Amino acid sequence: MQSKPSSTKQTEVFRIRTHLLGAPKIPLFRLHHAVIVRPFPAGDGDGASPMHWFDVIPKDPTHPRTLAALLALQSVPALLRVKNNVKHFNLQERDLVGVVDEDVEAVVERAVEFQKNMWAPEIRLLHSDCVVHSRELVSYLLYE
């Protein structure tokens, strides 16, 4: 079990839902889950603090063989993505899941560690998909 550091700086942790890659941009297809972290409190107006995005997607997300394998509940190779300094993102489909008593750099470092060392680079629906990945990453970041 990790020990929680003490700090005066804080970081917000969000779980978001967004569109599947290659799917129409309609609410029905907001099935992809990711985690975003940002400093708390966030910057004001145009000077808003950049966000950091973490997710997992299939290596070849729009290929018919990938879709067929996923629908057959088979594993497919995955990319563990980290997007740093995301400045603009619509957070309408988000849930603030917690605030960590650490500065954002420390939280980002722990999220990268999770991506590299604690998550296999494959996706299998209902077992190791983006929903499970985001839930486990949030638990890790919030010391649950």
Side-chain angles (χ1 to χ4, degrees), residues 29-47:
F29 290 103
R30 285 188 181 147
L31 299 173
H32 181 67
H33 290 239
V35 175
I36 289 181
V37 300
R38 72 175 180 190
F40 178 77
D44 299 324
D46 292 336

Side-chain angles (χ1 to χ4, degrees), residues 61-121:
T62 59
H63 196 284
R65 278 184 286 199
T66 300
L67 181 58
L70 289 172
L71 291 175
L73 300 178
Q74 298 173 348
S75 296
V76 298
L79 296 172
L80 295 158
R81 300 190 304 178
V82 177
K83 298 179 186 178
N84 291 309
N85 299 316
V86 176
K87 294 188 175 149
H88 302 287
F89 187 80
N90 183 353
L91 290 177
Q92 288 179 338
E93 295 292 327
R94 73 174 183 323
D95 293 314
L96 174 62
V97 291
V99 176
V100 181
D101 289 329
E102 294 179 87
D103 63 32
V104 72
E105 292 83 11
V107 175
V108 167
E109 187 176 306
R110 288 193 308 108
V112 168
E113 174 188 330
F114 176 90
Q115 299 270 85
K116 286 182 179 177
N117 301 321
M118 300 176 176
W119 193 264

Side-chain angles (χ1 to χ4, degrees), residues 9-40:
K9 296 184 178 183
Q10 294 182 312
T11 300
E12 293 177 308
V13 179
F14 295 91
R15 256 182 96 180
I16 64 156
R17 288 184 303 129
T18 189
H19 297 94
L20 291 172
L21 291 173
K25 302 282 186 214
I26 58 176
L28 176 65
F29 290 103
R30 285 188 181 147
L31 299 173
H32 181 67
H33 290 239
V35 175
I36 289 181
V37 300
R38 72 175 180 190
F40 178 77

